[in-house]
Amino acid sequence: MFFENDEISINIEFLPVNENAIGKPRRSIGIRPIETFTGGAEESIRDSILTKARRYGKLDKPYLICINTLSIKSSSIYDIDNAIWGSIAFSFSTNPNDKNEKLIRIEDGIFYNNGHERITNVSGIMINRVFPHNIPTSKYWLFKHPFTENYLNFDELKLPYCYVNNQTVINNEGENLGEIFKLKNDWLNDL
């Protein structure tokens, strides 16, 4: 059994009873070791992007990096946004009369880090969470590099994508993979 939403992922696997145990008193429910963790997948996403960005050196063509995040750790939009745009932090003033409390992004993103543009040979990043059974409805996130040296027309891809306009992240609408590839949700049944 499998259940997933934006916050959790639950995978339950039923195991057959050992044939030697049939008809004998035994515990009905067993449990395997559980893996728990805190934090998300943003560091591994950043590391994967940087590794792929360096793979071909300086290019004179558009370069779209694609990463399929299948980690047991979360690959939520929060992890992905933190990897791409920078980690979220709480900012406030030391002035007791005007705290000016707000959420900000730290300059540790993949495109802009510590005041410098990065991986400008890359046109954009596509991050997926695709398995064969969910291609038509799979989650994916596409980001246009604001400082790229190799322009790519993201509108031609027909996919939703994020881009920066006047220091604001804009979400551009598009089709999902099922619509683009004309796949039904139960496409595997047709094979």
Side-chain angles (χ1 to χ4, degrees):
M1 294 173 46
F2 181 76
F3 172 79
E4 181 177 40
N5 65 22
D6 289 340
E7 300 297 324
I8 63 171
S9 175
I10 299 173
N11 190 6
I12 299 173
E13 180 180 353
F14 296 97
L15 302 173
V17 173
N18 183 331
E19 288 185 27
N20 297 333
I22 294 175
K24 297 179 182 168
R26 65 186 188 284
R27 287 185 289 155
S28 298
I29 299 174
I31 190 166
R32 288 185 171 177
I34 297 173
E35 181 177 347
T36 60
F37 52 84
T38 59
E42 60 198 64
E43 284 302 316
S44 62
I45 292 169
R46 277 191 195 116
D47 291 345
S48 294
I49 292 169
L50 288 174
T51 298
K52 288 186 175 201
R54 295 182 188 122
R55 182 164 291 152
Y56 303 110
K58 192 154 180 77
L59 300 171
D60 63 349
K61 302 278 186 258
Y63 180 25
L64 180 65
I65 292 177
C66 298
I67 296 176
N68 199 15
T69 61
L70 304 177
S71 168
I72 191 169
K73 286 190 170 188
S74 173
S75 293
S76 71
I77 189 61
Y78 303 107
D79 298 327
I80 295 166
D81 275 349
N82 287 343
I84 299 294
W85 307 121
S87 303
I88 291 179
F90 187 69
S91 171
F92 58 90
S93 169
T94 56
N95 178 350
N97 298 322
D98 180 17
K99 293 274 187 198
N100 193 22
E101 300 169 336
K102 60 186 171 189
L103 292 176
I104 61 167
R105 291 228 178 247
I106 298 173
E107 292 180 356
D108 64 351
I110 202 69
F111 296 141
Y112 191 74
N113 193 293
N114 292 323
H116 300 285
E117 299 166 1
R118 293 174 69 190
I119 63 168
T120 56
N121 63 316
V122 175
S123 306
I125 309 290
M126 182 177 198
I127 300 177
N128 307 306
R129 188 159 175 75
V130 179
F131 298 92
H133 70 277
N134 76 344
I135 291 173
T137 59
S138 65
K139 294 182 178 181
Y140 58 91
W141 301 268
L142 188 58
F143 304 92
K144 184 177 182 179
H145 195 315
F147 311 111
T148 187
E149 297 168 355
N150 300 313
Y151 175 78
L152 173 64
N153 185 345
F154 279 74
D155 292 326
E156 288 182 2
L157 299 176
K158 298 182 183 174
L159 296 168
Y161 67 93
C162 298
Y163 64 97
V164 176
N165 186 6
N166 293 326
Q167 299 182 340
T168 301
V169 175
I170 308 294
N171 293 312
N172 188 62
E173 297 296 320
E175 300 177 33
N176 66 34
L177 296 177
E179 293 167 333
I180 290 171
F181 295 119
K182 296 177 181 24
L183 291 174
K184 298 184 298 186
N185 287 353
D186 62 348
W187 75 280
L188 285 174
N189 294 335
D190 296 337
L191 296 179

